[in-house]
Amino acid sequence: MLLISTTAIAQRGDRSNREERENRIETLFIAYVTDKLELTTDEAAKFWPIYNEIKQERRALEKKKRALINEIDDNMQAMSDQQAQSYVNKVIALEKEINLKSFENRSKEIIAVIGAKRFLLLKKSEVEFRRKMISEFKKKRRRD
């Protein structure tokens, strides 16, 4: 199912369908992780809100960091050392905040729902899913 679905997703190269592709990938990911962790309905109802909250917080911070990097890039030529140091401090502060919002730093919340062993399985499943997706996209490119 995963291979067929990812192939169908990979075939939609149109940027206007980007959000739709992301939603489909997210749906596949949820199904994949739920299956791998063998989450009960009750566990899934508790686990996914925590997981999604962490992910949304990190995405917002990563977006903020990308905007800051773009701002730095735009101002690099005219920047003084003092301004550069100010940007360094901002980047470091954002990276610290991103790290604080990590799954590992909030692992106790997740472990309270799914247990330590399945937390490790979650980390493994995230990597496996990414590898499978990358593999499918590479296969698609070779066919095209």
Side-chain angles (χ1 to χ4, degrees):
M1 180 180 125
L2 175 65
L3 296 177
I4 293 169
S5 297
T6 55
T7 301
I9 291 169
Q11 291 175 351
R12 298 180 188 265
D14 188 346
R15 283 188 184 255
S16 65
N17 291 326
R18 183 178 180 185
E19 187 175 315
E20 181 182 329
R21 283 192 317 270
E22 288 174 358
N23 288 338
R24 287 184 180 178
I25 291 169
E26 184 69 20
T27 300
L28 288 171
F29 176 75
I30 290 169
Y32 184 82
V33 169
T34 300
D35 181 58
K36 287 289 185 177
L37 299 182
E38 298 178 350
L39 295 176
T40 65
T41 304
D42 185 49
E43 289 170 331
K46 293 175 184 172
F47 168 77
W48 286 111
I50 296 168
Y51 187 93
N52 292 331
E53 178 185 337
I54 296 167
K55 193 165 78 172
Q56 286 172 346
E57 289 172 349
R58 287 184 56 89
R59 278 186 181 165
L61 290 169
E62 290 289 350
K63 185 177 179 178
K64 193 174 178 181
K65 183 179 170 186
R66 281 190 304 274
L68 180 60
I69 297 297
N70 289 336
E71 181 181 328
I72 291 168
D73 191 40
D74 292 344
N75 298 321
M76 186 67 78
Q77 296 301 319
M79 191 183 302
S80 69
D81 284 343
Q82 186 177 14
Q83 289 169 319
Q85 185 60 53
S86 174
Y87 278 122
V88 167
N89 295 340
K90 288 177 184 179
V91 170
I92 290 171
L94 269 173
E95 288 177 347
K96 283 181 182 178
E97 194 173 353
I98 289 167
N99 288 333
L100 288 173
K101 301 292 184 183
S102 72
F103 289 94
E104 290 73 18
N105 282 332
R106 292 187 57 193
S107 62
K108 289 180 183 176
E109 290 175 73
I110 295 171
I111 291 170
V113 176
I114 64 173
K117 188 173 180 180
R118 286 196 289 172
F119 178 81
L120 296 174
L121 186 56
L122 167 66
K123 303 315 291 173
K124 179 182 176 209
S125 298
E126 289 172 327
V127 171
E128 287 174 349
F129 183 81
R130 274 188 226 107
R131 284 185 181 153
K132 287 181 182 204
M133 292 301 296
I134 290 168
S135 174
E136 286 303 309
F137 285 122
K138 284 181 180 179
K139 286 178 189 176
K140 163 65 172 111
R141 281 190 201 148
R142 285 187 211 126
R143 285 191 301 248
D144 291 345

